[in-house]
Amino acid sequence: MAKVLEGLYYSESHEYVKVEGDFGFIGITDYAQNALGNVVYVDMPDVDDEVTAGEEFGAVESVKAASDLISPVSGTVVEINEDLEDQPELVNEDAYANWIIKVELSDKGDLDNLMDAAAYEEFCNK
């Protein structure tokens, strides 16, 4: 069973958001990294790019497949995880510690459309 952390928000496309104040750290879930297999490349937006809830902001490529990253929230990218440029496999090692982008949230109401840990776990088990 994939690891699901309490206190995060989850999307049906298997991204998570960890909220700290007005900022959200977005990454892929343990379930997603498990399904993808060995991650070989993470395509990230640039700092100051806008991301929109429900729209693509990048991609994760593995030896098996490439998967679009769909933003669970809207906001402005304030930081990217530069470690992933040279070590994309960090996503496999710990998907929750290795977020992909940090955004300044433009509408915290976006979070109301996401699942909590219990709902996400149930969603993954379907």
Side-chain angles (χ1 to χ4, degrees):
M1 175 64 204
K3 187 166 72 171
V4 177
L5 299 186
E6 292 292 333
L8 303 181
Y9 297 89
Y10 296 90
S11 69
E12 289 189 1
S13 52
H14 304 289
E15 286 85 14
Y16 68 82
V17 184
K18 176 181 166 191
V19 177
E20 291 183 2
D22 291 330
F23 298 95
F25 294 86
I26 300 173
I28 62 169
T29 65
D30 192 49
Y31 180 94
Q33 73 78 20
N34 219 10
L36 279 166
N38 293 336
V39 173
V40 293
Y41 180 70
V42 181
D43 178 31
M44 296 176 274
D46 295 320
V47 171
D48 292 333
D49 280 1
E50 297 289 323
V51 295
T52 304
E55 293 189 11
E56 182 189 331
F57 71 85
V60 175
E61 293 176 21
S62 72
V63 288
K64 291 197 290 196
S67 182
D68 288 340
L69 293 166
I70 308 298
S71 187
V73 293
S74 297
T76 304
V77 178
V78 292
E79 193 179 335
I80 62 168
N81 186 344
E82 292 179 2
D83 292 345
L84 299 179
E85 292 178 330
D86 297 325
Q87 298 175 285
E89 68 278 3
L90 290 171
V91 171
N92 294 120
E93 289 169 23
D94 188 337
Y96 297 113
N98 293 289
W99 49 272
I100 296 171
I101 60 172
K102 177 182 176 183
V103 299
E104 186 169 0
L105 302 169
S106 58
D107 181 2
K108 284 195 172 172
D110 289 341
L111 300 171
D112 298 338
N113 302 322
L114 301 172
M115 295 175 272
D116 65 9
Y120 181 68
E121 215 163 305
E122 195 174 302
F123 175 77
C124 289
N125 288 330
K126 284 184 181 160

